[in-house]
Amino acid sequence: MKTKVPMGRGMMLFFLLSCFTFGNLTSMRAQQHFEDCGADYVNDLNGTITVTPPYSGSIDPAYLETFEPIVFNIFFWQVNDPNGQFDNPLTQYDVLTAVANLNKAYNDFNVFFKYRGFDTLDSAPNQPEYTGSGGADCQVLPQQDPEGFSDLHICEFQYLLNYAKSIDKWKDNAFNIYVANSSPSFRGVTTYFKSEAYITQPNLTTPVLLHEIGHCFHLPHTFNNFDDAVTCEHVTRDPSLICDPSHPEIPCFNALTRGDFVLDTAAAPNFKREWCYANGLPIDCEGNQDYYYINNCAYVGASNDCQGTLYDIQPSDVQNYMAYIPDGCWNNFSIGQKIRIREAIIRDSQGNFVPTIDAVSSLYEPYAGEYYGRAPPRST
């Protein structure tokens, strides 16, 4: 029988940190192709997002409660320039805050992160500069980048990973979080089913890290493919409305096979880029009005899905960790997303999660950190 653990906010387990609230996302210098998250460019290279079993599509809280506690080790790496320099060096307080934020978001569905430390690595010398938005669009420029991997471009994070492993700056038994000084391309990036993520220093203690770990656990953006007439998600949540390919204009149910494949997150646009789309412009248009239809973390737009149905977007959809939203708005995963995360952990299609898993008893080892919402029972 599964042990039931009472819920209680702020449960303390060898805590040295006080409760943290998420700070505002720090704005980075403007770039024509800058995005909050680089996952779309990267994961497109890895094929279609899988929607086949064991994803149940469930949004049943009782089913979510059946998942046993699971603990992942996590380790952080400060990525210096080739001369060992970093603008604002990480402190233990920084990384413990990041771990505390993760636990605040994930503990209530029995996913825990065990802090295992942090270290530094110096970038390889003579790294070239890159341009492009990822994948086949990447181009190597003739000049060298004096900041190396510390100013991490979307086109070079895989080179960083290979280099880090070659100099033993990688932990086989943990999620590895590489913290770059800056990036011309993103705030954070990762790939599905991987146990590593890359984030810029100003965003380490913001929900950007929670968002990227969500991608590791195979969560797409809530607006996934919203601007694609074939693979966009429809507004309706009535499963009796079966899609007829010969009449694509008729509203029908596809929430489990399109978009983010999660039933209880509404079909939604990319809130950051919606102004471009609503005005018939390319999604990365010049002069975009970021979050034009968001006011006080709520949707005030009147856009339609790809079938012409008016979006039905609630504040919780705007504030979802996997959306693009203004600073200070992120605050939730849906039940369906939590279940998909737990099922993705079981699936572990590339075998990257298993080596990072630790015993539940590790949560009771003395260390600086805290867990939120619930705690697994201590073994006797």
Side-chain angles (χ1 to χ4, degrees):
M1 175 181 287
K2 183 178 184 293
T3 303
K4 295 291 185 180
V5 183
M7 296 294 289
R9 293 180 64 83
M11 180 172 287
M12 306 294 288
L13 300 175
F14 302 107
F15 295 157
L16 294 184
L17 292 177
S18 61
C19 290
F20 289 96
T21 57
F22 295 125
N24 288 343
L25 302 180
T26 302
S27 296
M28 301 183 65
R29 65 181 183 274
Q31 298 286 337
Q32 182 176 351
H33 297 292
F34 181 85
E35 290 292 346
D36 288 348
C37 172
D40 284 340
Y41 299 120
V42 175
N43 290 307
D44 282 347
L45 306 179
N46 298 334
T48 303
I49 301 171
T50 304
V51 298
T52 53
Y55 294 127
S56 65
S58 174
I59 57 172
D60 182 1
Y63 173 49
L64 181 61
E65 285 290 318
T66 66
F67 291 95
E68 297 288 345
I70 192 166
V71 181
F72 295 98
N73 294 319
I74 190 166
F75 197 94
F76 295 80
W77 302 93
Q78 173 182 297
V79 183
N80 299 329
D81 70 19
N83 298 314
Q85 300 299 307
F86 196 90
D87 287 351
N88 295 294
L90 300 184
T91 66
Q92 187 175 63
Y93 184 87
D94 295 331
V95 293
L96 286 174
T97 301
V99 176
N101 289 346
L102 280 169
N103 281 317
K104 287 176 77 171
Y106 285 83
N107 284 180
D108 79 329
F109 53 107
N110 264 337
V111 175
F112 296 81
F113 293 89
K114 173 69 175 179
Y115 171 65
R116 289 301 184 185
F118 78 101
D119 200 352
T120 65
L121 68 90
D122 294 344
S123 295
N126 305 318
Q127 282 297 115
E129 288 193 0
Y130 289 85
T131 186
S133 59
D137 189 48
C138 291
Q139 297 180 36
V140 179
L141 299 176
Q143 65 267 28
Q144 292 183 357
D145 183 356
E147 297 179 80
F149 295 131
S150 188
D151 185 41
L152 191 62
H153 194 279
I154 187 70
C155 295
E156 62 181 345
F157 73 89
Q158 186 63 48
Y159 297 109
L160 165 60
L161 179 62
N162 294 340
Y163 175 70
K165 288 182 175 182
S166 74
I167 59 172
D168 200 27
K169 297 292 186 176
W170 162 268
K171 300 292 183 181
D172 291 328
N173 66 342
F175 272 73
N176 290 261
I177 310 301
Y178 291 95
V179 184
N181 190 63
S182 57
S183 172
S185 314
F186 57 81
R187 288 177 170 177
V189 66
T190 189
T191 52
Y192 296 133
F193 291 112
K194 297 296 186 182
S195 58
E196 67 270 352
Y198 310 83
I199 194 165
T200 55
Q201 186 275 337
N203 297 290
L204 176 61
T205 57
T206 75
V208 172
L209 181 59
L210 319 182
H211 177 107
E212 297 308 326
I213 296 298
H215 284 316
C216 290
F217 292 138
H218 210 199
L219 284 187
H221 291 133
T222 55
F223 56 86
N224 189 48
N225 292 330
F226 85 99
D227 55 342
D228 187 303
V230 176
T231 58
C232 65
E233 180 180 357
H234 303 161
V235 168
T236 182
R237 289 302 185 264
D238 182 353
S240 70
L241 298 178
I242 299 172
C243 293
D244 181 352
S246 64
H247 293 283
E249 76 284 357
I250 299 177
C252 61
F253 175 80
N254 70 354
L256 294 178
T257 59
R258 296 291 188 270
D260 68 346
F261 313 105
V262 178
L263 185 59
D264 61 355
T265 58
N270 178 337
F271 300 126
K272 184 176 182 179
R273 295 289 183 177
E274 186 181 2
W275 185 89
C276 295
Y277 189 73
N279 285 280
L281 300 171
I283 199 64
D284 59 350
C285 71
E286 292 287 346
N288 177 57
Q289 306 294 310
D290 287 0
Y291 311 114
Y292 187 79
Y293 301 103
I294 301 296
N295 183 36
N296 292 327
C297 302
Y299 185 67
V300 295
S303 295
N304 300 325
D305 71 6
C306 57
Q307 291 190 307
T309 304
L310 186 69
Y311 281 125
D312 181 13
I313 297 170
Q314 304 304 310
S316 60
D317 298 308
V318 175
Q319 298 158 21
N320 191 279
Y321 287 131
M322 302 312 295
Y324 276 9
I325 50 179
D327 297 357
C329 290
W330 269 324
N331 67 19
N332 77 91
F333 288 120
S334 73
I335 296 295
Q337 287 174 316
K338 294 172 182 180
I339 290 173
R340 183 179 170 93
I341 286 173
R342 294 309 311 255
E343 292 177 341
I345 291 169
I346 293 171
R347 182 171 181 245
D348 193 12
S349 65
Q350 299 178 25
N352 291 317
F353 299 152
V354 169
T356 72
I357 296 173
D358 211 332
V360 169
S361 59
S362 69
L363 297 179
Y364 293 89
E365 299 169 0
Y367 90 112
E370 47 189 332
Y371 309 105
Y372 293 84
R374 70 172 74 192
R378 185 196 296 266
S379 299
T380 58

